[in-house]
């Protein structure tokens, strides 16, 4: 399966997009749609900037990488479930996802238990609303309701051409791949996601 347009919109909204390198809440250099050096797609260093086209191309490649562990489960998933799991994997890393209780329960046929296990990834506290958004997305078909990026958001994400194919990004030269770095903790997403949580708390 591939990430759907609504799944892509939800993930991008959760991660945010910044075209200049910055330190995320875990003090890791990040750029584009929540991409760090650990992605293996780009080496993020202080002062690095990229174009919107490069950011979109990198995001598309990253999504492919994080969809692989979900597809490797060998479990039949509905589109909304698949999209929520890719979002979770994007945030906690392929290793964290593959060894998670979510995966173990899915393989055992416990879909409801797998949904609850999504909420176990609740540190740091700033990630909880995102995790709740992924939990709601996993449990709710798109025909019932479109997902919110973060549960505290007032409105669901918008996908103008719902379920239409994602347009191919303009051809750009991607940075040379680098060896992947192991991810050990969940990240809270890009600056946009952090600001979203902050303003919801301040409201």
């Amino acid at each position: 399966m591939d990430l759907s347009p609504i799944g892509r919109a939800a993930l991008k909204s959760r991660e945010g997009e910044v075209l200049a390198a910055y330190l995320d809440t875990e003090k890791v250099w990040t750029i584009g749609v929540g991409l760090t050096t650990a992605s293996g797609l780009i080496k993020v260093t202080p002062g690095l900037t990229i174009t919107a086209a490069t950011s979109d191309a990198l995001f598309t490649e990253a999504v492919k990488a994080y969809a692989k562990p979900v597809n490797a489960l060998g479990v039949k998933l509905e589109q909304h479930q698949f999209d929520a799991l890719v979002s979770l994997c994007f945030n906690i890393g392929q290793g964290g996802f593959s060894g998670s209780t979510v995966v173990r329960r899915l393989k055992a046929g416990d879909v409801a238990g797998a949904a609850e296990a999504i909420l176990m990834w609740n540190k740091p506290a700033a990630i909880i609303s995102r995790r709740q958004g992924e939990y709601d997305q996993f449990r709710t078909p798109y025909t019932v309701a479109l997902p919110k990026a973060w549960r505290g958001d007032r409105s669901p994400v918008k996908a103008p051409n719902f379920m239409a194919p994602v347009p191919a990004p303009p051809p750009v030269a991607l940075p040379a791949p680098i060896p992947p770095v192991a991810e050990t903790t969940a990240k809270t997403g890009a600056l946009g996601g952090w600001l979203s949580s902050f303003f919801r708390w301040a409201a």
Side-chain angles (χ1 to χ4, degrees):
M1 295 181 71
D2 296 321
L3 193 67
S4 72
I6 191 62
R8 183 182 175 95
L11 177 54
K12 197 166 187 178
S13 182
R14 286 172 184 140
E15 292 291 332
E17 184 172 33
V18 182
L19 302 181
Y22 67 94
L23 286 173
D24 70 4
T25 55
E26 297 297 318
K27 306 302 181 184
V28 177
W29 285 104
T30 306
I31 201 167
V33 186
L35 293 180
T36 66
T37 298
S39 70
L41 294 172
I42 185 172
K43 184 174 183 179
V44 187
T45 55
L48 177 66
T49 61
I50 58 177
T51 65
T54 296
S55 176
D56 193 59
L58 287 168
F59 180 54
T60 296
E61 290 304 308
V63 164
K64 292 178 184 177
Y66 289 102
K68 284 182 180 179
V70 183
N71 279 314
L73 293 176
V75 176
K76 180 174 174 54
L77 297 168
E78 300 298 329
Q79 188 67 58
H80 60 99
Q81 296 171 328
F82 179 86
D83 291 350
L85 293 179
V86 172
S87 177
L88 175 67
C89 185
F90 196 100
N91 188 236
I92 68 177
Q94 294 99 322
F97 176 80
S98 296
S100 69
T101 301
V102 177
V103 168
R104 289 196 296 273
R105 291 181 179 177
L106 276 174
K107 288 185 174 181
D110 183 6
V111 178
E116 297 301 322
I118 291 173
L119 299 176
M120 293 179 180
W121 290 87
N122 58 3
K123 295 180 181 180
I127 204 69
I128 292 176
S129 184
R130 169 178 175 151
R131 209 61 75 224
Q132 291 169 333
E134 291 164 339
Y135 168 83
D136 294 339
Q137 182 180 16
F138 183 87
R139 296 177 72 244
T140 310
Y142 295 150
T143 53
V144 174
L146 296 184
K148 292 181 179 179
W150 301 65
R151 183 182 280 180
D153 291 347
R154 292 174 180 167
S155 303
V157 298
K158 295 181 179 180
N161 297 313
F162 181 59
M163 298 308 290
V166 179
V172 295
L174 295 179
I178 60 171
V181 177
E183 296 185 59
T184 57
T185 59
K187 56 187 176 65
T188 57
L191 184 60
W194 183 88
L195 288 174
S196 177
S197 294
F198 175 80
F199 284 117
R200 279 195 302 276
W201 172 84

